[in-house]
Amino acid sequence: MKKILVIHGPNLDLLGQREPAVYGKVTLKQINAALKKIAKKRNAALTIKQSNHEGEIVDLIGKAKSKFAGLLINPAAYTHTSVAVRDAISGSGILTVEVHLSNIYSREEFRQKSLISPVAKGAVLGFGLKSYTLGLEALLDLI
Ligand code: DQA
């Protein structure tokens, strides 16, 4: 069974209420349910975490390599600011797919840079819930 760590970054716990014009009405619960459905079909086991704390995300990634075959992550705002999350991914060497609900390259200038993409295998963005499901399928295909 393929073991995957899913990390949702800061403020994603508020999906559904948070800026629906940008992120849609989908909730984190619905995203997780869609991911679990794929995991079941593909014989994968997901561990799903959401954190608003950079250090906690760094800790999770640091411990992930020995336990998980891959990481699916929406680093949220840390995408654009966190050298620490980037270093955790590159340091662990874990196979990583980055996802975003919105197309960060069509938004404010400060969002148009991802510190994570250079250390990820690939990224899926702009498709809402589908960014996650496509990202998970791609990650499972690679393992
Ligand atoms: C996001 C995009 C980020 O810029 C933002 O800070 C988020 C969500 C997305 O999924 O579109 O919190 O990662």
Side-chain angles (χ1 to χ4, degrees):
M1 187 171 276
K2 297 171 180 177
K3 288 188 179 168
I4 306 292
L5 177 62
V6 178
I7 298 180
H8 304 287
N11 301 307
L12 295 175
D13 52 331
L14 300 176
L15 282 178
Q17 316 155 34
R18 176 191 176 209
E19 298 183 77
V22 179
Y23 300 115
K25 286 188 181 155
V26 71
T27 63
L28 199 60
K29 210 173 155 189
Q30 288 167 331
I31 290 173
N32 290 338
L35 293 176
K36 282 179 197 160
K37 203 170 155 189
I38 291 171
K40 196 173 175 195
K41 206 169 56 193
R42 297 201 50 174
N43 197 31
L46 303 185
T47 297
I48 302 176
K49 304 279 185 189
Q50 189 278 326
S51 177
N52 294 324
H53 304 279
E54 186 175 17
E56 197 178 332
I57 294 171
V58 169
D59 284 345
L60 285 169
I61 298 169
K63 290 180 202 139
K65 180 72 188 201
S66 56
K67 294 193 214 144
F68 299 98
L71 170 66
L72 183 75
I73 184 166
N74 182 348
Y78 292 140
T79 307
H80 321 293
T81 62
S82 182
V83 176
V85 173
R86 176 199 172 115
D87 284 354
I89 292 171
S90 61
S92 79
I94 192 165
L95 183 64
T96 298
V97 171
E98 175 188 358
V99 296
H100 298 282
L101 295 147
S102 65
N103 178 355
I104 56 174
Y105 299 104
S106 69
R107 299 184 59 196
E108 303 95 322
E109 207 179 332
F110 69 88
R111 290 185 207 276
Q112 292 177 16
K113 182 163 177 66
S114 169
L115 298 182
I116 308 304
S117 292
V119 296
K121 180 72 180 170
V124 187
L125 48 105
F127 302 117
L129 165 74
K130 200 134 205 230
S131 296
Y132 279 89
T133 55
L134 291 170
L136 180 60
E137 296 272 16
L139 184 58
L140 291 171
D141 287 349
L142 288 167
I143 293 166

